[in-house]
Amino acid sequence: LWPRHFPQLSGSRHSPHTGAMVCCASDSCTMAEVVEQAPILEKVEYGESGDIDTAVPAKVGKTLVVPLEYGWQDQDIGMALEAFEPSGCVFVSGVSSNAATAIGSYNEHVEPSERVRQGDYVVSIDGHTDLHSMRRCLRSNATMDLTIQRPFLFEVRVQKSGRPLGLAVKYDASGASLMVRRVEENGAVAAANGDLVCGDRIVGVNCASYCARAMLEELRNSDCIELTISRCLGPV
């Protein structure tokens, strides 16, 4: 084992702005006061690109065990992860195609259907499912087994029609998702009967996808909204 070369959660070259967004007006969203920190578990540079192979369909709920090994002490993991308390699901917000990273090297040597992708979930590391232990493994272990689960995706169509959106989300400004914190009973989202639950992640809003800033803009400015929701089914 050796100390990993990872950015710190605070005071590092990656110090993301975090906050809670409450969408409460019919044609706009107001920024709520930051209630608690929503830390990125690890944040790394993507390398050459963060693209994924979308031509290969991912089986919903499929679980992969990814044996990860660092080739040298300062090797980057090659993916960005979002982990918001109290949710135990770790969302893969970006994956590097650079083979010099640990994930990039793994993806290069497996079939496309077995690759780690943006939008996947890390449900355990070396059998650990709590965020504290997973963070410790990422920072200190030279080898580890990541249990990856494909997301369950579904769509919800929302028409504001003068009503408040009625949706509170938690997000990182440089992240790729908006995590659902609360759905208000009398809002447009609840009226859509979308069956959203706390911990679901919004990964698409109309034409914007996997970009928190762009998705928030769509929520602010659109009356007709099509949400793409990602749900982690949990360990199997």
Side-chain angles (χ1 to χ4, degrees):
L1 304 182
W2 59 63
R4 296 297 326 140
H5 176 64
F6 281 122
Q8 301 299 310
L9 293 181
S10 61
S12 71
R13 62 191 178 94
H14 296 289
S15 299
H17 167 75
T18 58
M21 168 67 74
V22 179
C23 306
C24 60
S26 60
D27 57 357
S28 65
C29 297
T30 58
M31 183 71 73
E33 182 180 355
V34 173
V35 177
E36 57 182 318
Q37 292 296 308
I40 292 288
L41 185 61
E42 302 293 351
K43 188 76 172 180
V44 298
E45 297 295 341
Y46 289 179
E48 294 178 358
S49 69
D51 59 348
I52 58 174
D53 187 356
T54 55
V56 180
K59 183 178 178 182
V60 172
K62 177 179 179 179
T63 300
L64 311 172
V65 177
V66 176
L68 204 62
E69 180 176 0
Y70 293 100
W72 59 89
Q73 181 171 347
D74 291 337
Q75 185 180 21
D76 279 335
I77 189 172
M79 64 178 175
L81 305 174
E82 296 175 16
F84 300 153
E85 299 282 6
S87 171
C89 295
V90 180
F91 180 76
V92 179
S93 60
V95 176
S96 175
S97 60
N98 187 346
T101 65
I103 287 292
S105 176
Y106 168 82
N107 279 349
E108 190 176 63
H109 292 92
V110 298
E111 294 295 323
S113 62
E114 302 298 307
R115 292 172 182 163
V116 180
R117 306 176 182 186
Q118 182 185 49
D120 284 344
Y121 290 93
V122 181
V123 295
S124 72
I125 300 178
D126 285 346
H128 299 289
T129 58
D130 64 286
L131 295 182
H132 176 76
S133 297
M134 287 194 283
R135 183 181 290 115
R136 186 181 66 247
C137 289
L138 283 171
R139 287 179 168 173
S140 61
N141 290 7
T143 62
M144 68 195 79
D145 287 336
L146 276 63
T147 302
I148 303 290
Q149 189 175 97
R150 302 298 194 206
F152 170 59
L153 298 172
F154 60 98
E155 293 183 348
V156 176
R157 289 178 178 160
V158 178
Q159 182 77 39
K160 290 181 183 176
S161 299
R163 292 170 296 190
L165 193 57
L167 179 68
V169 300
K170 196 171 187 179
Y171 70 100
D172 178 83
S174 61
S177 72
L178 309 172
M179 191 182 78
V180 175
R181 296 183 60 206
R182 187 175 65 257
V183 178
E184 301 291 349
E185 291 184 2
N186 298 320
V189 171
N193 295 318
D195 194 31
L196 270 69
V197 298
C198 182
D200 283 347
R201 289 180 183 268
I202 300 170
V203 295
V205 182
N206 297 338
C207 60
S209 62
Y210 294 100
C211 177
R213 290 181 183 274
M215 291 189 291
L216 288 170
E217 283 299 312
E218 285 294 317
L219 288 176
R220 289 188 181 101
N221 299 323
S222 302
D223 187 64
C224 298
I225 299 171
E226 185 169 298
L227 302 174
T228 302
I229 307 299
S230 171
R231 180 175 295 172
C232 179
L233 300 179
V236 294

